[in-house]
Amino acid sequence: MIHGHVTAWALALILFFVALSLHKSGKTKGFKVIQMILRVLYLLIIASGVGLLFMVYKIDIWYILKAVTGLWIIGLFEMILSRIANNRRTSVFWIQFIVAWLLVLYLGFDKLPMSILNP
Ligand code: HEM
């Protein structure tokens, strides 16, 4: 479950940057295809995240914060791509993107116990 979760968000992060570069080079069709694939990945990230939550004995505030931050990142992926597609400003969302990623990596890898890094 945790491997599926990490694979899903890592792939989403890569495809997010692929979508940005496709947009930069004017490939609108390719951009739209990646955006669709990303939406499927969002569902997989959420499903695997909820699956992980079911494995937790006692869901505390850190788990809630982790889940909320994860959803926040998904919202930002979607927000940044849709605003870029409409040629609107994204700077405010990029600041949030960095903050949310720092928080999610800290919570996921450092604060909370389950990890792909554990033997
Ligand atoms: C793009 C969005 C997300 C990112 C980048 C992300 C990132 C991470 C990371 C880095 C870990 C730790 C992996 C490890 O230590 O091997 C993790 C674990 C976890 N994630 Fe997410 N996540 C996201 C979305 C979500 C969502 C939406 C939920 C819940 C609905 C969720 C729930 C969890 C849970 C319960 C764990 C296990 C925590 C533990 O006990 O260590 N995640 N996630």
Side-chain angles (χ1 to χ4, degrees):
M1 189 66 88
I2 190 109
H3 284 90
H5 188 62
V6 173
T7 309
W9 65 249
L11 195 59
L13 185 63
I14 294 166
L15 289 182
F16 172 72
F17 285 104
V18 170
L20 289 178
S21 83
L22 284 173
H23 180 262
K24 219 174 196 164
S25 47
K27 300 199 172 81
T28 321
K29 200 155 181 222
F31 175 85
K32 286 213 168 117
V33 171
I34 302 285
Q35 205 176 12
M36 285 310 205
I37 299 172
L38 272 171
R39 286 177 182 147
V40 178
L41 281 175
Y42 301 154
L43 295 179
L44 292 178
I45 296 169
I46 294 170
S48 56
V50 171
L52 285 168
L53 282 176
F54 272 107
M55 293 162 66
V56 179
Y57 174 64
K58 189 173 176 294
I59 296 176
D60 60 15
I61 184 75
W62 298 108
Y63 275 103
I64 295 167
L65 194 59
K66 166 70 193 55
V68 169
T69 317
L71 293 172
W72 183 20
I73 291 182
I74 292 173
L76 289 170
F77 274 151
E78 184 62 23
M79 205 66 182
I80 291 174
L81 290 183
S82 65
R83 287 181 74 94
I84 272 183
N86 295 315
N87 295 314
R88 294 173 70 186
R89 279 169 63 95
T90 51
S91 31
V92 178
F93 297 96
W94 277 111
I95 296 165
Q96 291 184 45
F97 192 76
I98 292 164
V99 174
W101 269 99
L102 290 176
L103 193 59
V104 94
L105 291 176
Y106 165 70
L107 290 170
F109 281 124
D110 210 57
K111 186 79 196 167
L112 294 170
M114 279 186 265
S115 182
I116 52 164
L117 306 175
N118 290 339

